[in-house]
Amino acid sequence: MTRPLRPATLAIAALLAFAPGADAFQDPASPRAMTMEASLSLPSFGSWELSPDNRRIAFVRSQRDPEDEWDNTSHIWVHDLQTGETRQLTNGDRGESGPRWLSDTELLFNARRGDDDDAQNRIWRISVTGGEAVPFLEDEEAPSGSFSDDWRYIAYTEESDRPDQEEWDERRERRDDAYYAEQKLTWRHIWVYDVESGEKRQVTEGEYDHGSATWSPDARWIAFTSNRTQTQMGDPDRSDNSDVLVISADGGEPIPVSNAPGPDGSPTWAPDGTRIAWTGSLNENISAGQNDLFVATFDDGRAGDPVNLTDGFDYSVSGPRWTPDGRHIVFTAAEGLTSLTYRVPAGGGEMELLLPDDEYIYGGVEISDDGSLLLFTGTSLTSNGEVFMADADGSRIERVLAPLGDYLAEYQIADAETLTWEGPDGWEIEGILTYPVGYEPGQAYPLILQVHGGPHGRFSKSFNAGTQIWAARGYAVLRTNPRGSSGRTLEFSNANFMDWGGKDFEDIMAGVDHVIEMGVADPDRMAIMGGSYGGFMTFWAVTQTDRFKGAIGHAAISDWYSFYGQTDIPYYLQNSFGGLPWETKEIWETYSPIEYAENVSTPLLITHGEEDRRVPISQGEQYFRTLKKLGREVEFLRFPRAGHGISEPLHRIFLDREQAEWFRIHVLEGRPIT
């Protein structure tokens, strides 16, 4: 197939196709400040799919409607690479998702359509050249899942019934539904649906959960993942050792493929069905494990020995996918503040960087059916959701679509840069500094220190609307990746073992000092905020220093000892603190903020979701009650129905306003930013 023409004029036409109406824009010379309401109103894009003939890109556009309780609706759009035309293809009231190409001109998608409020999520078929969508399957009860290459079968997972299902249903009906905790009675199994006959058959058996069902090219076999250690999520002695297995599409005894001691996942078949690639960890129950890329042969029910293709590569890999000729495997690795795309020979050998390391983070790489092109997205500190294409070797990169660009052009976008500084032991620490909108060199600005969750999360050099909101208010924002963050070596990511709040805290504060030395941050007007582990670090920081004038901790841990008995991941703490609470009690107590509550002098706003199971709200309640008793300045903002994060739009808007007011009063002291 020939490569489609993609002159620059087509990219410009694509941008114009997404421009909102002229009345939505202000004078380009005076763009608006980014706000929470504005960020919620911005459309989002995803599910990019290149047609088999390399001519069109199908994708999903989602947007909230502030006039309809911020309801979020998604529709499918198609961009023609040869004409530059971008148009909306579907427009159902309930929206659509999951586009995939049936042919060069036909798409499948998922949607609930019809007048019935209980309408099933069905698979629909539509031509991109015109016409109405029609059901792809006549069976209204057909499941959603993974199609075999010949479209004859669907693999899907379904939760089994309880052994006492009929009795349990009756009990629930009469509200006699008390139950014992952590007694697992149902299991997630793989099923196969026959498209022609409409018959369903259960493939896997046993008291195990199964997932990631992936068809072999000939539809004879299904690769899947399963944790067969007989330990469950809430178990204190849980093992994370999941494996890749293969089972006949007709059922039978599963065939083990992987043998790494840690979690294995993302199985993917070679185009000829003779090999399977997957990611796996060489470490069991390590809180910051890294994944390697493995491959094994598979011949008529027999799996060969796994081969580690990334042995010696000290970064965690993800998202393996085969090139159509089966010669290479493409994967992504998080490295520092970016993510890089590599390819490695499937038989082993030297890996090579496929896409450049520049201002963008490239991701979501899709390889065209003929293997000649790459389709991928890019995000930077000041732009988001741009779509690129390149030759198969990563050369001749061209931007083909930037659907969010015109929307962002309506707003003031603050400048940002990546930073490095020296932490304890001479370690290099990375972070991102976002400058306030209208920044003037030589002037010091109020600083917000943001701490990520995890602790093995990370900040990356990607667009962040939340940071832009604070920058629009006149704050500089520092986001740090202290030791323990992901995207670095195994040693770095585990360097906070039994030391949560120790040298990682010093790394963070060294970053604050660095920004002060740059002349950007006003040391007398600084704040700290974060959620989950970032919330813990906020709670911890205000016990260790009085340098911050205001603090906001969300879903934060105040007492590690009690947290062990409350959280749904007790094993995670056991593996991070070197033992059970009563075995390494000194560590659990040493790094519990509540032990040092008397030191707190910084005004603190505590926010928490009332349905949070990861960090139950009792952690916030303990800290709040203690600080209130001590007479400290503290407030507790609770969010009904919310879990570990705040997702309801009105809740997010209210939280943003309360946070802004808290920092205005305590950090700015009512003074305007001049």
Side-chain angles (χ1 to χ4, degrees):
M1 297 182 184
T2 59
R3 180 174 182 174
L5 296 175
R6 302 196 301 276
T9 53
L10 298 189
I12 295 172
L15 291 175
L16 295 177
F18 278 93
D23 58 346
F25 286 94
Q26 290 186 336
D27 181 350
S30 57
R32 295 188 293 174
M34 181 65 72
T35 64
M36 177 58 71
E37 291 87 342
S39 71
L40 290 173
S41 297
L42 288 174
S44 60
F45 304 86
S47 301
W48 309 95
E49 292 286 333
L50 183 64
S51 62
D53 62 2
N54 300 340
R55 179 178 173 179
R56 300 178 177 91
I57 301 173
F59 59 95
V60 171
R61 178 186 187 274
S62 303
Q63 189 162 25
R64 297 183 184 274
D65 183 359
E67 303 300 324
D68 188 18
E69 299 181 348
W70 294 92
D71 185 47
N72 191 36
T73 305
S74 301
H75 296 298
I76 295 169
W77 290 62
V78 174
H79 175 70
D80 192 306
L81 287 162
Q82 293 184 331
T83 68
E85 179 189 10
T86 308
R87 62 188 180 89
Q88 185 174 336
L89 186 64
T90 63
N91 195 31
D93 291 340
R94 295 188 177 99
E96 301 83 20
S97 63
R100 55 262 202 212
W101 290 96
L102 183 62
S103 67
D104 291 340
T105 59
E106 286 188 299
L107 275 170
L108 300 183
F109 63 88
N110 291 74
R112 301 180 189 275
R113 294 193 165 187
D115 297 330
D116 187 356
D117 289 339
D118 296 325
Q120 293 291 319
N121 186 14
R122 301 183 64 184
I123 302 171
W124 299 77
R125 176 179 189 164
I126 191 170
S127 171
V128 297
T129 60
E132 294 294 325
V134 296
F136 181 62
L137 303 174
E138 293 301 326
D139 183 3
E140 295 186 6
E141 302 297 322
S144 294
S146 173
F147 275 97
S148 58
D149 287 355
D150 57 11
W151 303 99
R152 293 178 56 194
Y153 306 102
I154 300 174
Y156 64 101
T157 57
E158 187 173 282
E159 197 78 10
S160 66
D161 289 336
R162 293 168 53 116
D164 61 346
Q165 190 66 50
E166 184 175 347
E167 177 187 352
W168 176 246
D169 289 341
E170 293 175 354
R171 286 181 56 196
R172 292 190 65 184
E173 182 69 24
R174 62 176 185 264
R175 303 178 70 84
D176 176 24
D177 52 358
Y179 63 94
Y180 285 96
E182 296 186 7
Q183 289 193 1
K184 188 167 173 60
L185 301 175
T186 64
W187 306 90
R188 190 171 65 254
H189 285 291
I190 296 172
W191 290 65
V192 168
Y193 173 82
D194 188 306
V195 171
E196 182 176 349
S197 68
E199 294 181 355
K200 303 174 183 178
R201 62 177 181 271
Q202 183 176 331
V203 175
T204 57
E205 302 286 347
E207 294 185 348
Y208 311 103
D209 286 322
H210 307 79
S212 303
T214 308
W215 286 101
S216 64
D218 61 6
R220 293 180 56 201
W221 305 95
I222 299 173
F224 65 93
T225 58
S226 181
N227 184 329
R228 303 208 154 202
T229 63
Q230 296 288 19
T231 61
Q232 304 307 316
M233 183 69 174
D235 291 353
D237 297 321
R238 176 181 182 265
S239 169
D240 65 359
N241 180 18
S242 59
D243 292 305
V244 173
L245 304 99
V246 172
I247 195 169
S248 167
D250 296 321
E253 188 67 24
I255 303 160
V257 175
S258 67
N259 58 13
D264 301 316
S266 303
T268 178
W269 292 86
D272 62 2
T274 63
R275 290 159 295 171
I276 302 173
W278 69 94
T279 61
S281 175
L282 298 175
N283 299 283
E284 181 182 15
N285 292 341
I286 186 170
S287 60
Q290 288 191 171
N291 288 328
D292 282 295
L293 176 63
F294 293 88
V295 67
T297 59
F298 190 83
D299 180 20
D300 198 27
R302 294 183 298 275
D305 293 332
V307 176
N308 188 343
L309 299 181
T310 54
D311 187 27
F313 180 63
D314 202 2
Y315 293 94
S316 190
V317 308
S318 62
R321 45 227 179 265
W322 292 81
T323 56
D325 60 11
R327 295 176 55 192
H328 293 87
I329 300 172
V330 176
F331 65 90
T332 300
E335 297 187 35
L337 298 169
T338 190
S339 295
L340 299 177
T341 301
Y342 295 89
R343 70 176 179 182
V344 63
E350 196 73 23
M351 52 187 269
E352 60 180 314
L353 185 65
L354 189 59
L355 297 175
D357 181 11
D358 54 26
E359 72 271 24
Y360 287 96
I361 296 180
Y362 299 114
V365 176
E366 180 185 350
I367 306 171
S368 65
D369 287 357
D370 64 358
S372 67
L373 296 172
L374 304 176
L375 176 73
F376 49 97
T377 59
T379 179
S380 72
L381 288 170
T382 56
S383 64
N384 193 29
E386 301 182 18
V387 184
F388 298 83
M389 292 186 74
D391 288 340
D393 62 357
S395 63
R396 292 209 301 157
I397 295 176
E398 296 181 44
R399 181 189 292 106
V400 296
L401 204 56
L404 193 59
D406 284 298
Y407 293 94
L408 290 180
E410 186 181 353
Y411 298 97
Q412 299 169 328
I413 302 301
D415 291 330
E417 67 172 320
T418 61
L419 302 176
T420 60
W421 58 88
E422 186 176 298
D425 310 319
W427 283 28
E428 182 180 85
I429 309 300
E430 297 176 315
I432 299 167
L433 174 63
T434 301
Y435 290 87
V437 170
Y439 169 73
E440 295 182 7
Q443 179 176 324
Y445 291 82
L447 175 73
I448 296 177
L449 170 65
Q450 292 186 339
V451 188
H452 64 61
H456 307 299
R458 68 166 183 147
F459 290 119
S460 65
K461 58 176 186 180
S462 57
F463 185 80
N464 186 291
T467 302
Q468 291 290 334
I469 293 171
W470 288 113
R473 292 174 175 142
Y475 293 91
V477 181
L478 176 64
R479 292 175 287 159
T480 66
N481 285 344
R483 66 192 66 201
S485 302
S486 61
R488 298 286 291 273
T489 65
L490 186 63
E491 179 188 12
F492 185 94
S493 296
N494 284 279
N496 62 345
F497 178 67
M498 299 178 68
D499 191 40
W500 291 16
K503 289 185 177 179
D504 51 357
F505 174 66
E506 294 181 45
D507 290 338
I508 290 170
M509 296 307 296
V512 171
D513 290 334
H514 180 63
V515 177
I516 293 173
E517 292 170 3
M518 292 172 61
V520 176
D522 180 350
D524 295 323
R525 292 189 292 171
M526 299 196 304
I528 183 173
M529 65 188 306
S532 195
Y533 176 81
F536 150 73
M537 188 59 76
T538 300
F539 279 12
W540 175 257
V542 296
T543 71
Q544 304 298 305
T545 180
D546 61 1
R547 295 178 64 184
F548 299 109
K549 304 306 179 186
I552 302 174
H554 176 75
I557 300 95
S558 62
D559 181 4
W560 292 116
Y561 202 95
S562 63
F563 179 71
Y564 177 80
Q566 298 166 350
T567 182
D568 62 347
I569 51 169
Y571 58 88
Y572 190 81
L573 274 298
Q574 178 182 343
N575 297 330
S576 300
F577 286 171
L580 294 163
W582 49 91
E583 295 172 337
T584 57
K585 185 176 182 180
E586 181 179 357
I587 297 297
W588 292 73
E589 292 181 343
T590 295
Y591 294 115
S592 290
I594 204 165
E595 296 286 333
Y596 313 95
E598 287 184 315
N599 297 341
V600 175
S601 60
T602 303
L604 174 65
L605 174 62
I606 299 172
T607 65
H608 219 119
E610 292 188 336
E611 302 301 321
D612 192 347
R613 288 288 296 119
R614 182 56 42 88
V615 180
I617 197 170
S618 53
Q619 286 292 312
E621 290 170 334
Q622 291 175 168
Y623 211 47
F624 175 68
R625 186 58 54 211
T626 300
L627 293 178
K628 287 286 283 188
K629 183 65 175 178
L630 292 170
R632 303 303 191 260
E633 187 166 1
V634 61
E635 294 290 348
F636 193 6
L637 183 56
R638 304 167 65 104
F639 290 88
R641 301 176 302 282
H644 198 46
I646 305 300
S647 59
E648 294 182 25
L650 292 179
H651 276 175
R652 292 178 63 183
I653 292 170
F654 182 76
L655 172 61
D656 175 69
R657 290 174 178 171
E658 295 304 299
Q659 289 176 329
E661 183 66 5
W662 189 260
F663 284 163
R664 185 193 69 79
I665 294 172
H666 298 291
V667 180
L668 304 182
E669 299 178 341
R671 293 179 294 165
I673 300 174
T674 58

